[in-house]
Amino acid sequence: MLKGKTALITGSTSGIGLGIAKALAQQGANIVLNGFGDVEGPKAEVAALGVKVAYHGADMSKPAEIEDMMTYAAAQFGRVDILVNNAGIQHVARIENFPVERWDAIIAINMSSAFHATRLALPAMQAADNGKGWGRIINVASIHGLVASAEKSAYVAAKHGVIGLTKVTALENATSGVTCNAICPGWVLTPLVQKQVDAKAVALGVTVEEATKQLLAEKEPSMQFTTPEELGALAVFFCSPAGNNVRGVAWNMDGGWTAQ
Ligand code: NAD
């Protein structure tokens, strides 16, 4: 379905981003990966799906590096048709104790990077299909873009901001083939969440298994994690013809978290 298209997924060396990259690759899209840590492993996983894969190591807190990544991505396999703004970090502390440097980093990586990548991706998307436009911008927000949890001020503020940005991007392109939507996962067991589980186990003096159960029980009625594969399938739907007129939604995959 996406053969010949190029998808750039930020923060895709791990977790949800890698899951979405693989789901788009399974539909035939060529993939540009980004993120820190092991690069060769994720690259091989995507290449094994039979598509072309490239990588750019831009630090998403740095607008000049984002600009460089967007230029690089467009030069690899043609323009960026699908942009998935996914890179994100977390820090947990009460506001009065929240390190200012962590606040700035979370706002930059989790929110401002989506603005920068979007503004740089839009012109080519708008020009596609003889000026009628074709493009998909998918912002990986969070259930914390819709509701809050204590001790996550920067993350909740950034994710609410991302949902606002999603709506504006959708509206400004509403008469074209460029759509923008957000995905709002509840708990997904990635390194980002494993750190929170481990901290909980230490704080409560319980096993990691017990801490995992408690983490889910507090927020997620299904008592199960959403998987990167499930989120990847939702991204594929947004990219499909059935997603042509889905504009500006914030779509939960949260095990009932916000139904309560
Ligand atoms: P993860 O830690 O597994 O992956 C984060 C990715 O972002 C990695 O590839 C990492 O290298 C990259 N990254 C971090 N800082 C970066 C930077 N400065 N520049 C470039 N890349 C950077 O985490 P994840 O759980 O897969 O999170 C992915 C997204 O999903 C985040 O935006 C997160 O807020 C969101 N999310 C996660 C959950 C969850 O439960 N795991 C729930 C809701 C939303």
Side-chain angles (χ1 to χ4, degrees):
M1 187 176 76
L2 300 175
K3 213 169 168 40
K5 305 255 190 257
T6 299
L8 165 64
I9 304 98
T10 70
S12 47
T13 48
S14 164
I16 294 169
L18 181 55
I20 292 178
K22 285 162 68 177
L24 296 175
Q26 274 160 359
Q27 298 299 321
N30 295 321
I31 301 294
V32 183
L33 296 172
N34 156 263
F36 301 150
D38 176 35
V39 174
E40 291 314 314
K43 264 178 98 170
E45 281 183 53
V46 174
L49 298 167
V51 297
K52 293 186 213 155
V53 56
Y55 166 81
H56 192 285
D59 179 339
M60 298 306 287
S61 68
K62 306 212 162 84
E65 292 188 24
I66 297 172
E67 204 153 339
D68 196 53
M69 174 185 74
M70 297 306 294
T71 307
Y72 167 86
Q76 289 307 298
F77 324 116
R79 69 166 174 269
V80 173
D81 304 285
I82 299 163
L83 167 67
V84 183
N85 289 308
N86 167 78
I89 57 168
Q90 178 62 286
H91 186 83
V92 180
R94 288 178 59 87
I95 293 173
E96 60 272 28
N97 301 325
F98 212 91
V100 171
E101 166 275 323
R102 285 291 84 195
W103 170 276
D104 288 343
I106 290 174
I107 297 299
I109 296 165
N110 294 20
M111 186 179 74
S112 301
S113 73
F115 161 71
H116 292 298
T118 297
R119 74 180 167 82
L120 294 162
L122 275 173
M125 290 181 177
Q126 289 160 346
D129 200 9
N130 294 321
K132 282 189 274 173
W134 197 92
R136 295 289 187 262
I137 300 175
I138 300 170
N139 293 326
V140 179
S142 166
I143 218 59
H144 285 116
L146 299 167
V147 294
S149 294
E151 303 195 355
K152 294 187 176 174
S153 55
Y155 189 88
V156 169
K159 294 298 188 182
H160 274 69
V162 164
I163 291 181
L165 174 69
T166 303
K167 292 175 183 170
V168 175
T169 309
L171 288 180
E172 289 184 2
N173 293 281
T175 57
S176 84
V178 180
T179 72
C180 180
N181 295 289
I183 295 180
C184 298
W187 291 123
V188 187
L189 194 56
T190 64
L192 183 141
V193 165
Q194 190 62 53
K195 270 188 224 155
Q196 295 172 60
V197 173
D198 294 346
K200 199 176 193 62
V202 172
L204 301 177
V206 298
T207 61
V208 168
E209 204 182 13
E210 180 53 33
T212 305
K213 242 191 236 159
Q214 287 198 26
L215 181 108
L216 286 169
E218 277 166 19
K219 302 279 188 185
E220 203 147 317
S222 66
M223 288 298 287
Q224 67 189 39
F225 291 102
T226 299
T227 66
E229 290 74 21
E230 289 161 352
L231 296 164
L234 179 53
V236 167
F237 167 73
F238 283 141
C239 294
S240 74
N244 278 348
N245 207 24
V246 180
R247 298 177 189 268
V249 305
W251 195 314
N252 310 348
M253 267 204 180
D254 67 352
W257 186 319
T258 51
Q260 298 171 95

